Amino acid sequence: MKIFLGAAPGVGKTYEMLLEAAEKHEAGADVVIGIVETHGRKETEALTVPLPFVPRKELTYKGQTLTEMDIDAVLERRPQIVLVDELAHTNTPGSRHPKRWQDIEELLAAGIDVMTTVNIQHVESLNDVVGSFTHVRVRETVPDKVFENAEIELIDLPPEDLIARLEAGKVYVPEQAKSALDHFFSKGNLLALRELALRHAAQYVDARIKEHQGISGRDGFGGGQRVLVAVSHLAGSEQVIRTAKRLADALKAPMTALYVETPAAASFGPLEKQQVARNLALASSLGATLQSIPATSVQEAILTQCREMRATQLVIGSSRDRARLPLSRRSIVKDLIDKASGVTVHVVSTTDGSNAHSWRHLYMPTAVVAGDVVALVSVVVMTLAAYLAQDWIGRGPIDLLYLVPVIASASFYGFRAGLIAAISAGVAYNFFFLAPVYTFIIYSPANVITAILLVVVAIITGQLAASARAAAALAMRSARENAALARFATRLGAAKETSETAQIVCDEIRAILAVQTMVLRGTREGIKITASGQKKPELSPVDRAAAEWAFEHGEPAGRGTNTLTASEWQFRPLKTSLGTLAILGLRGPAGRSAVPTERTALAESLIDQAALAHERLKLETEMREMEVVRQRDSLRAALLASLSHDLRTPLTAVTAAAEALSTNGPETELVETVRSEARRLNRFLSDLLDLTRIEEGAVTPDLQPIDLTDAITSAVADLSSAIGDRNLQTSINPNLPLVRADAVLLHHIILNLIDNALKYSARGESIIVVARMGKRGPVIDVLDRGSGIPQGSEHRIFDRFARGETSDRTGGSGLGLAIVKGFANAMGFTVEAARRQRGGSRFTIRMPAEAIVHVSMEDIA
């Protein structure tokens, strides 16, 4: 992919793209227009005239007919290069992909080169930077990964020239141009955008220089750097993540995004959970590795992760709206700076915006009403019990009794319930038990201190109880998840068949994540459901299309992804080094995502284990098949060797008798047939013996200096009777050096190649043997004008018993070329086959430079 990058609209990206496309078209390249927006500019429209185009696809949306690139038509047309303008464009709802850059990824995956355009403000990692000085939030962005393997050409235009173009009406109509000059297209903004574009292009050039020099990011500049970015539920995390991405790019370092799930996450509403999901999705789109861990202390979790991954750079956010955050939250940054030894801490000042919530949310329990009621009722019950028992126990220990409902409320319902219980207990103790009773007035200083201490002690103990409860809940959850993972791994390890493994995957993931599951595999008839965690679901056409897409491309598709989002299911590929082995389908309850945000890391672990289990079974199956093949080959080799030796003696006698028969009688034709067939059978047995020696590794070449002219002449002489009146030509470079080879093996190679050419060539066609000097060493070519090698069979033709298209007519055994390859490999040579353009085949023997015998004048003397 080639990207024409500009600092702003109107710099001439589309114009330059069309110019280059026209040049390639004139040079003979197959270039078509997928979609190009000329915006009514006559000069640009003129450049589109000579280029062929693929008609656009019409889509109806909200009563309007819109046009988009017809990606299916482009794939069917399969041009060499396709022009796709406006990389950051959002497709019309109903398209296969939400974004145009995803369409381009599919075209690239199909082997079609793409030329496209984009402005610098659409780069995802620069989105917040652009918004900071233009005061315009660009909604259409492109992930940075799209630029990683692309060729980037900067289309630069000084701000003064761009402003002149705007004023002349070459970019927008006059009314729009005046408004643009006063806002986005102000000279200051254009200068800043131009600087960003130049820096981005410079980073691309720098990366290419380092790639050319063979220096990787880890071993060269920035070697050993690892960036960790802390992600929270606040909207300001998006700015933090983009800053971390720019830092990671500058250091050529990997980036990890860490989300610490604290007890406060239990109180998050839909808005907070959606924001967490958006933040993690943004980090993933920017190439970060996601980590989600439960912990009671954010600081300790971040520091532990820094130590485990040996992070060198830590990026965290600090909200400007400090008044809305508790003191404990405000101290996180300071604690990390103090304790993060050996780690450079980058603090990004953020504004939480509309998603900044009161600190009280940090302590809000899941069942607020129930906790409040229980707290109040427990204090009332304790007050009644103490009031009835005060004559028996006295008023001294009553204040301590009130700690019981406070601790109980905090332990079972969180800090809020404990706080309500503590305040209620202080009020009740004052009203019923401190003189004067039944009033809120306190006369004695000692009683004042007692009431205050009761509330303070109750709050502290309640908070400690709530913290202990939260820690216990996190520990219990982690223990459950670890136990579930262990059980999952154990069950997968015991599975012996793919169908059993698929069913285990469905059952376990369904139970752990509380979602509907199914596993699909690719078959000749298409994608097929092999297991499900519930009643076998029915796939809609959209669901099936998403599953097939995930299987074909090895990427997630369906709901919650960037591809075919209309599907009710989310399909995750079970992908390993062997490729995509199966597809896992997930569907959450109505209104809930397939994978909850807080369980993203757990889901990834489960999917990885499922993929590894399928890989293990596939490898075990292949090993069993290989063992069967090995035993079969061993038996076959033994049988062939036995047959060859047992038939050699009677065949020798038959051949000798046939040669001794007179050819002057009436049976002349029969005698000649016996002789030729006896010779053919003798050659076949010799081939079997040679092949058996090759497969058993018994071929030990005796490498000696050999003149290739002598080797070719000797082979031609031995085939003189078979050649007869056929036209065989030799072209041997007289300056070829001596090569180190086994004379017998090389003789057999040349003999078999020429004999193969004789079999598959018509009698009137020429056969040419060429010996020349190649780039790395001597080369021998055997060329014919026969039927040619079938397309795609260039490597298979050297397999045992592989035969050409006319082998039935020629009577080939399919062993000659296998022997050629075996003997060539034994000497360190390579042999290749190719189909000639005008018909026929070319077989090439390549000898390495190490095989050349260097002879000096002293050796000659």
Side-chain angles (χ1 to χ4, degrees), residues 344-363:
T344 303
V345 181
H346 303 263
V347 181
V348 181
S349 181
T350 65
T351 301
D352 296 338
S354 60
N355 283 336
H357 294 272
S358 170
W359 64 269
R360 290 187 297 273
H361 284 273
L362 297 172
Y363 304 101

Side-chain angles (χ1 to χ4, degrees), residues 353-388:
S354 60
N355 283 336
H357 294 272
S358 170
W359 64 269
R360 290 187 297 273
H361 284 273
L362 297 172
Y363 304 101
M364 190 74 70
T366 55
V368 176
V369 176
D372 295 350
V373 172
V374 169
L376 292 173
V377 170
S378 62
V379 171
V380 171
V381 171
M382 182 57 67
T383 301
L384 180 61
Y387 186 81
L388 295 176

